[in-house]
Amino acid sequence: MSAAQAGEFLRALAMHNPKPETELLYSTPFTLLVAVVLSAQTTDAAVNRCTPALFAAAPGPAEMAALGAEGVAPFIRSIGLWQGKAKNVAALSRLLLERHGGEVPADRAALEALPGVGRKTANVVLNVAFGESTMAVDTHIFRLGNRTGLAPGRTPREVEDALVQRCPPELLRDAHHWLILHGRYVCKARLPECWRCPAASHCNYRDKVPAPAA
């Protein structure tokens, strides 16, 4: 897909959803960071079912660190990999207090130095909490980038770099949300719903799925 075609693809998604937002529930950069860490290999909906009670008990890093992994665990047992995530959330909270005065840093290297925080999580926090034009590539965006021809790549980083290069600068910050929501609800893994895709005419996928028979 050419840069011009990529721009048209994204503009079509933008017209369909002009104000995209993350579906994770959060109120501060800290609660966003925790929610994104918990969302690894778990749906946002599953995370949203457990975080209200967790954040009521521990709205900031001091309270979360005081809970510790054993205190965090009961709140998140319903999500995947909860044991490791409980340890990471408690540990990153302690490090925020020790290294950053209890504040979430607006710096990639500092974020990625926290337990449970990789490049994708850092990109989400930088984008949503601090307004940076980053591209967080999850399984949905990786699939969509390759399927549509928007940004083919063998690894998430290759897809990320291609998307950053091809996205019109003014669309880049919101592009992460457009693409993840499109991959989640329309350009699905098993059966893409091409018949209701607003960007179908700009997509290079050869096996477009027609509307089901009435």
Side-chain angles (χ1 to χ4, degrees):
M1 190 181 293
S2 67
Q5 187 180 353
E8 291 306 310
F9 185 97
L10 290 168
R11 289 186 180 93
L13 296 184
M15 290 182 64
H16 185 71
N17 183 12
K19 295 183 179 180
E21 296 180 354
T22 179
E23 293 188 321
L24 288 170
L25 300 176
Y26 75 99
S27 59
T28 64
F30 173 72
T31 55
L32 173 67
L33 173 62
V34 172
V36 179
V37 168
L38 294 179
S39 71
Q41 300 183 50
T42 304
T43 65
D44 287 1
V47 173
N48 289 340
R49 286 193 288 270
C50 66
T51 50
L54 174 63
F55 295 153
E63 296 88 348
M64 197 73 75
L67 280 181
E70 292 184 356
V72 172
F75 291 98
I76 64 170
R77 288 182 189 274
S78 61
I79 65 174
L81 307 175
W82 60 269
Q83 296 99 327
K85 291 176 181 179
K87 293 178 182 178
N88 285 337
V89 167
L92 73 82
S93 298
R94 290 193 296 270
L95 288 180
L96 288 178
L97 294 169
E98 295 170 5
R99 298 178 181 177
H100 305 288
E103 300 294 326
V104 175
D107 175 80
R108 178 185 300 282
L111 284 168
E112 291 186 20
L114 298 171
V117 180
R119 184 175 181 85
K120 184 188 75 173
T121 296
N123 277 338
V124 174
V125 173
L126 291 171
N127 182 296
V128 176
F130 300 111
E132 294 193 17
S133 295
T134 56
M135 175 58 66
V137 176
D138 69 346
T139 56
H140 296 297
I141 296 179
F142 182 79
R143 177 183 69 252
L144 194 153
N146 280 283
R147 173 186 281 166
T148 65
L150 179 64
R154 294 167 296 179
T155 66
R157 182 59 188 273
E158 287 185 3
V159 172
E160 176 188 339
D161 290 343
L163 285 170
V164 170
Q165 182 179 12
R166 293 181 178 184
C167 285
E170 70 276 12
L171 301 180
L172 182 54
R173 186 191 174 196
D174 286 335
H176 159 68
H177 298 298
W178 287 321
L179 293 173
I180 191 172
L181 293 172
H182 191 62
R184 185 175 292 165
Y185 297 114
V186 180
C187 196
K188 300 175 183 179
R190 294 185 179 179
L191 185 67
E193 298 180 4
C194 304
W195 67 90
R196 65 184 189 92
C197 172
S201 62
H202 308 290
C203 171
N204 290 349
Y205 183 48
R206 294 180 179 179
D207 301 318
K208 289 186 174 66
V209 180

